[in-house]
């Protein structure tokens, strides 16, 4: 009913509007055609009949397509825009064309394209975007194009394609992706496997080749040798070395994120403390603990010091730094994350907060976490808690009362900042 109403509205408007002056309009084979090609146009002319189904604007001088560029022609089924000077296709330029079956944007200069507009073009069967300046295609760009049969992306500037980009295209029979400057790293290996096994016709496969790295330049993707690739893995460990250890005020808490993966993953810290969330891309300091040039920090020594070897130091750890510390490793093949909750308490004085009570409650139930060689080993994703007991201020004797006179009891770690920094920095 809605489509009939739309058609009736389009027909009524069509009777009241004429063909734009630069164009030729008419009916052919039952289609309402507007031919505006080779008119030296610099913008989409107004005044089309609403019942136009085919519009050609090829071989003009259009510099871009603004929002609502084709609002006058909601029934459009074929749109030809090849051989213009289009650089930008704004959001909303194409979104209203839900009946569109053929779209030709080839031989332009497009580098900025509103991929989300394609989500409304579920009837599309032909999409030509070859010979442009495209450098990136979102993984979900084609998620709604289940009727698409032919896709042309050749002769662009694509360096990689996200795995699964073509998965939604269940009707696809023809794909051209040749003559793009592909980076033949681990992120492109999936495309080689998919191209060799798919039933989709992919011509000119010898021209689907590597541009980098230099050792693989010119190698067709189909003959790409095996690459040493692996998704990231992380193991989070911490110093002081004993859970439940008693420490003097002013100690340094050190977390270490041991990362593995190929290519080398990028490490990121996500810290949730009482004052808010802190995001750190590692490293943010050099081996001397001072902020790296260009790092957006308030002082030369950041409160949270992330080193290139995966260590995170928090000098003078206190209640303000309690919270959840997560390290996230990411490379072309995926990501991995490990987290630990750190709570500070004063033993014997009821100073344990919610994290502390939760940890001891889990321990009584045989749950919680334990440590092996100072590595966090949670029994469940929500049970990873480290409790640090702070010695009673001004009463160091209380901390050694049960030990041998003159000796520190097991678990009492008197770690000064300089000692801990020396320990970590010698590992660089």
């Amino acid at each position: 009913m809605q489509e009939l109403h739309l058609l009736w509205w389009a027909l009524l408007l069509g009777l009241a509007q004429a063909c734009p002056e630069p164009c030729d309009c008419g009916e052919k084979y039952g289609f309402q055609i507007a031919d505006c090609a080779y008119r030296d146009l610099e913008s989409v002319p107004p005044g089309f009949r609403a019942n136009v189904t085919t519009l050609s604007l090829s071989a003009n001088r259009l510099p871009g397509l603004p929002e609502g560029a084709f609002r006058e022609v909601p029934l459009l089924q074929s749109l030809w825009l090849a051989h213009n000077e289009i650089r930008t296709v704004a959001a909303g330029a194409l979104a209203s064309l839900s009946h569109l079956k053929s779209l030709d944007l080839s031989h332009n200069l497009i580098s900025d394209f509103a991929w989300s507009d394609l989500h409304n073009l579920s009837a599309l069967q032909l999409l030509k975007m070859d010979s442009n300046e495209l450098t990136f295609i979102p993984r979900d760009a084609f998620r709604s194009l289940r009727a698409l049969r032919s896709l042309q992306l050749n002769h662009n500037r694509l360096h990689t394609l996200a795995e699964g980009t073509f998965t939604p295209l269940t009707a696809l029979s023809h794909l051209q992706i040749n003559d793009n400057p592909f980076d033949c790293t681990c992120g492109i290996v999936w495309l080689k496997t998919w191209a060799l096994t798919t039933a989709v016709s992919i011509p000119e496969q010898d021209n689907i080749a590597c541009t980098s790295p230099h050792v693989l330049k010119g190698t067709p993707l189909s003959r790409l040798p095996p690459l040493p690739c692996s998704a990231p893995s992380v193991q989070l460990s911490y110093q002081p070395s004993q859970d439940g250890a008693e420490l003097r005020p002013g100690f340094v808490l050190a977390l270490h994120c041991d990362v593995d993966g190929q290519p080398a993953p990028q490490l990121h810290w996500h810290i949730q403390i009482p004052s808010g969330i802190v995001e750190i891309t590692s490293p943010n300091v050099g081996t001397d603990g001072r902020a790296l040039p260009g790092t957006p920090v308030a002082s030369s020594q950041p409160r949270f010091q992330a080193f290139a070897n995966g260590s995170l130091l928090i000098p003078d750890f206190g209640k303000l730094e309690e919270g959840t510390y997560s390290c996230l490793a990411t490379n072309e093949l995926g990501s991995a994350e490990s987290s630990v909750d750190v709570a500070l308490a004063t033993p014997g004085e009821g100073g344990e907060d919610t994290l502390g009570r939760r940890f001891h409650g889990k321990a009584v139930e045989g749950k919680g976490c334990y440590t092996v060689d100072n590595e966090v080993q949670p029994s469940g994703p929500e049970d990873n808690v480290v409790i640090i007991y702070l010695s009673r201020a001004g009463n160091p004797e209380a901390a050694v009362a049960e030990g041998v006179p003159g000796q520190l009891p097991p678990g009492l770690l008197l770690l000064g900042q300089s000692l801990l920094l020396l320990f970590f920095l010698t590992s660089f």
Side-chain angles (χ1 to χ4, degrees):
M1 180 64 69
Q2 185 176 2
E3 288 193 358
L4 289 175
H5 183 268
L6 181 63
L7 180 60
W8 178 251
W9 172 82
L11 290 173
L12 285 177
L13 285 181
L15 294 176
Q17 291 182 319
C19 184
E21 183 178 347
C23 308
D24 294 325
C25 301
E27 181 179 347
K28 188 174 183 180
Y29 305 119
F31 294 99
Q32 297 297 322
I33 299 173
D35 184 4
C36 306
Y38 296 94
R39 301 303 200 276
D40 208 30
L41 298 174
E42 295 184 3
S43 63
V44 178
F48 291 106
R49 294 183 178 182
N51 63 346
V52 170
T53 56
T54 299
L55 172 59
S56 176
L57 286 160
S58 297
N60 282 292
R61 297 171 56 197
L62 303 181
L65 300 177
E67 178 187 4
F70 303 103
R71 191 174 288 126
E72 289 184 340
V73 284
L75 302 181
L76 207 60
Q77 296 183 29
S78 299
L79 178 58
W80 310 104
L81 292 157
H83 295 281
N84 275 278
E85 300 171 7
I86 300 171
R87 296 178 182 273
T88 301
V89 178
L94 303 170
S96 63
L97 304 178
S98 59
H99 298 275
L100 199 64
K101 295 182 179 180
S102 300
L103 175 59
D104 186 358
L105 287 162
S106 64
H107 297 278
N108 278 285
L109 302 169
I110 299 172
S111 60
D112 184 8
F113 183 78
W115 295 101
S116 59
D117 274 21
L118 294 183
H119 299 167
N120 293 336
L121 309 187
S122 57
L124 202 63
Q125 297 179 13
L126 168 67
L127 177 57
K128 298 180 66 175
M129 300 188 73
D130 55 286
S131 303
N132 277 287
E133 302 289 326
L134 298 172
T135 60
F136 172 73
I137 298 177
R139 184 193 302 268
D140 67 344
F142 308 128
R143 72 183 189 191
S144 301
L145 306 186
R146 293 180 174 83
L148 195 69
R149 298 178 182 177
S150 180
L151 174 60
Q152 298 180 23
L153 297 168
N154 48 298
H155 292 91
N156 275 284
R157 297 185 180 274
L158 299 172
H159 292 279
T160 191
L161 289 167
E163 184 170 2
T165 297
F166 305 126
T167 300
L169 305 178
T170 53
L172 191 67
S173 60
H174 178 83
L175 172 66
Q176 286 188 240
I177 53 173
N178 52 282
D179 294 282
N180 279 287
F182 286 120
D183 295 330
C184 288
T185 59
C186 294
I188 205 73
V189 172
W190 76 270
L191 184 58
K192 170 192 173 182
T193 304
W194 181 83
L196 291 174
T197 58
T198 185
V200 176
S201 172
I202 307 177
E204 299 190 54
Q205 292 207 22
D206 281 348
N207 290 327
I208 306 173
C210 307
T211 298
S212 64
H214 182 74
V215 69
L216 294 174
K217 187 174 182 178
T219 303
L221 189 63
S222 59
R223 295 198 288 274
L224 185 67
L227 300 178
C229 303
S230 61
S233 64
V234 297
Q235 178 65 62
L236 186 61
S237 58
Y238 61 92
Q239 292 280 345
S241 61
Q242 297 185 24
D243 186 43
E246 296 185 12
L247 298 126
R248 295 291 178 85
F251 78 95
V252 179
L253 177 67
L255 303 176
H256 183 72
C257 192
D258 187 18
V259 178
D260 192 20
Q262 183 64 32
Q266 172 65 58
L267 180 60
H268 183 87
W269 290 94
H270 175 89
I271 304 169
Q272 187 167 359
I273 53 178
S275 61
I277 294 176
V278 180
E279 303 282 356
I280 301 172
T281 298
S282 183
N284 69 345
V285 295
T287 56
D288 58 357
R290 295 188 176 275
L292 294 173
T295 303
V297 293
S299 67
S300 61
Q301 289 187 312
R303 185 71 192 92
F304 301 95
Q305 301 173 7
F307 291 84
N309 71 342
S311 296
L312 179 72
L313 301 189
I314 306 99
D316 298 315
F317 183 86
K319 295 291 286 185
L320 294 178
E321 288 75 45
E322 281 188 330
T324 302
Y325 290 74
S326 304
C327 66
L328 174 68
T330 305
N331 69 8
E332 300 174 42
L333 301 180
S335 61
E337 182 176 1
S338 184
S339 302
V340 61
D341 290 330
V342 182
L344 193 65
T346 302
E349 295 185 352
E352 298 180 10
D353 59 8
T354 303
L355 284 175
R357 290 193 298 272
R358 187 182 79 176
F359 175 79
H360 286 296
K362 297 286 186 180
V364 170
E365 300 171 11
K367 299 179 180 179
C369 72
Y370 59 95
T371 61
V372 176
D373 294 332
N374 197 30
E375 292 183 351
V376 177
Q377 304 287 335
S379 61
E382 78 288 357
D383 296 328
N384 196 353
V385 182
V386 175
I387 303 296
I388 299 173
Y389 289 104
L390 194 64
S391 298
R392 295 182 180 88
N395 186 17
E397 292 81 5
V400 298
E402 297 180 2
V404 178
Q407 296 181 357
L408 296 178
L412 182 60
L413 302 180
L414 303 180
L415 294 176
Q417 178 175 345
S418 60
L419 176 62
L420 191 60
L421 278 172
L422 179 62
F423 172 81
F424 266 81
L425 295 183
T426 55
S427 66
F428 285 89

